[in-house]
Amino acid sequence: MLPYLIAANPVNYGKPCKLSTVEALAAALYILGFRREAERFISRFKWGPAFLELNRERLEAYRQAETSAEIVRAQEEFLPDGP
């Protein structure tokens, strides 16, 4: 399961957790440390770079986490009702 991210695709722009398949794949690549591959992959879509920019801080925090518990803690910081 992917952590909390915001969609940038035209159908669900701005909606949390409503990612397109492309956004989900790019996010997974980014979080796993394949940032350049994620950027190349999603840049094929007109709105793709907006997804990365909209979620840059989140993606970086998730990428730097070393355990699932750290990802959950980072995610909690980004949730609208988070600490």
Side-chain angles (χ1 to χ4, degrees):
M1 184 167 77
L2 287 171
Y4 181 81
L5 294 164
I6 307 293
N9 67 73
V11 174
N12 292 310
Y13 186 86
K15 294 180 184 175
C17 305
K18 292 280 193 174
L19 307 182
S20 68
T21 302
V22 171
E23 289 169 316
L25 286 170
L29 286 168
Y30 196 108
I31 292 167
L32 291 171
F34 298 99
R35 183 180 57 86
R36 287 187 183 158
E37 291 84 348
E39 290 171 347
R40 241 179 314 179
F41 177 68
I42 203 155
S43 70
R44 295 179 180 157
F45 299 85
K46 184 175 169 180
W47 46 265
F51 172 75
L52 294 177
E53 191 55 38
L54 187 62
N55 290 289
R56 183 79 59 196
E57 185 178 358
R58 293 174 191 87
L59 290 167
E60 279 298 315
Y62 304 147
R63 184 185 64 77
Q64 292 174 20
E66 294 183 12
T67 66
S68 59
E70 288 179 12
I71 289 177
V72 170
R73 278 193 295 276
Q75 175 180 257
E76 288 172 352
E77 294 296 319
F78 296 113
L79 291 172
D81 295 323

